[in-house]
Amino acid sequence: MNFLGAHILSINQFDTQDVERLFSIADQMQPYAHRELKTRVLEGAILGSLFFEPSTRTRISFGCAFNLLGGQVRETTEIKSSALAKGESLYDTARVISGYSDIIVMRHTMDGSVEEFSKASRVPVINAGDGSAEHPSQALLDLYTIKKELNIEGEINGLNIALVGDLKYGRTVHSLCKLLKLYKNISFTLISPSELKMPKDIVDDLLKSGHEVNETENMETGLGDKHLVYLTRIQEERFNNQEEANTYRGRFRLNQSIYTAHCEPDTVIMHPLPRDSRAEANELDNDLNQHPSLAIFRQADNGVLIRMALFALTLGIEKDIHLTSNKVNWYTDRRF
Ligand code: CP
């Protein structure tokens, strides 16, 4: 794909070469994300950050990524703080905000809303999550993490992965399946309540691409023999009411004793976060926090690298980043 000036709306836009190109730029971002070097390559540029749905990681890591490249961020959070609450259309919002910004990152509750917004935007738009549809930058940082955790150079063919939880509404697993589909001989075990299964079109696409798919409600048997287990939260915000969400909460949990009994000793544990740590859910127990195979915080850290790389490629500055770089002059030691 031609990244320059492109909207990044769906993982379907990417092929394996695009992914490798993005990952190679992400690798080059490490000294900046790790606060060894600073750059001013995007000095004067403005990111319009529109999060019309709650976010911690995606909003802040996109903002940090832009700041780390030397740019500035202007934020709107929540529909009620924007003119959308007064009946303004996505079209008008896009026309206006794209006059103030060089690039826009947007999250919204409705499937397809970011694409609709992008059609009226005069600058590139990156989808930071639209309803239960897609979360492309998350899938890219997930695959980047998978490769790092499993020490895979090049393509990730032959992976054996379990996806667990709310596979119906979880946009991260939808985008991740679309991305993994590009590779070969992947065995997917999809563990969910029968009412929250992966959408049929995504499963059909995986099968058509030659992958193996097993769907089950039995977590214990589903976890065996996996390189990787990817847990997800029950997406309570997509349900008609809390009671309905409550019927699924806590159905699938991973803790140290379940891991020891059913996973390989080095099965990598991933989760896009947030994990629901309330007692009635506790889908990924704190007793695994010190486990060396728990990758969830390294995964979240990788979000900055991937988002820096997306900005670098869409704004065409990937070759210029090091031209204005200097060592940082503040205390940067991280405790862990
Ligand atoms: N993974 C993810 O999208 O997290 P946030 O909702 O905190 O952005």
Tab-separated table of all heavy atoms in Angstrom, residues 6 17 47 83 127 266 325 327:
chain	number	residue	atom	x	y	z
A	6	ALA	N	-2.360	8.195	3.487
A	6	ALA	CA	-3.459	7.217	3.503
A	6	ALA	C	-4.260	7.295	4.798
A	6	ALA	O	-3.726	7.584	5.865
A	6	ALA	CB	-2.890	5.808	3.344
A	17	GLN	N	4.073	-7.420	3.162
A	17	GLN	CA	5.196	-6.484	2.940
A	17	GLN	C	4.958	-5.163	3.668
A	17	GLN	O	5.890	-4.567	4.230
A	17	GLN	CB	5.373	-6.220	1.446
A	17	GLN	CG	6.011	-7.401	0.752
A	17	GLN	CD	6.223	-7.151	-0.724
A	17	GLN	OE1	5.560	-6.305	-1.327
A	17	GLN	NE2	7.127	-7.898	-1.312
A	47	LEU	N	-1.725	16.761	15.832
A	47	LEU	CA	-2.592	15.576	15.799
A	47	LEU	C	-3.944	15.954	16.398
A	47	LEU	O	-4.008	16.436	17.538
A	47	LEU	CB	-1.967	14.441	16.625
A	47	LEU	CG	-2.886	13.252	16.933
A	47	LEU	CD1	-3.229	12.477	15.660
A	47	LEU	CD2	-2.242	12.312	17.963
A	83	ALA	N	-19.416	18.894	19.821
A	83	ALA	CA	-20.654	19.377	19.195
A	83	ALA	C	-21.488	18.238	18.606
A	83	ALA	O	-22.619	18.466	18.190
A	83	ALA	CB	-20.326	20.413	18.134
A	127	ASN	N	-8.000	4.832	12.294
A	127	ASN	CA	-9.078	4.231	13.084
A	127	ASN	C	-8.513	3.704	14.400
A	127	ASN	O	-7.715	2.770	14.417
A	127	ASN	CB	-9.689	3.080	12.256
A	127	ASN	CG	-10.850	2.418	12.954
A	127	ASN	OD1	-11.204	2.785	14.080
A	127	ASN	ND2	-11.444	1.438	12.285
A	266	ASP	N	5.800	-22.316	28.621
A	266	ASP	CA	6.195	-21.012	28.079
A	266	ASP	C	5.138	-20.412	27.154
A	266	ASP	O	5.456	-19.560	26.323
A	266	ASP	CB	7.529	-21.140	27.336
A	266	ASP	CG	7.469	-22.189	26.226
A	266	ASP	OD1	6.428	-22.868	26.098
A	266	ASP	OD2	8.452	-22.311	25.475
A	325	SER	N	17.778	14.381	15.613
A	325	SER	CA	17.776	13.671	16.895
A	325	SER	C	18.976	14.030	17.771
A	325	SER	O	20.065	14.329	17.283
A	325	SER	CB	17.658	12.165	16.660
A	325	SER	OG	18.869	11.571	16.474
A	327	LYS	N	20.541	13.313	22.112
A	327	LYS	CA	20.356	12.548	23.356
A	327	LYS	C	19.432	13.317	24.288
A	327	LYS	O	19.475	14.554	24.314
A	327	LYS	CB	21.699	12.360	24.047
A	327	LYS	CG	22.544	11.305	23.389
A	327	LYS	CD	23.703	10.926	24.264
A	327	LYS	CE	24.392	9.721	23.657
A	327	LYS	NZ	25.693	9.462	24.180
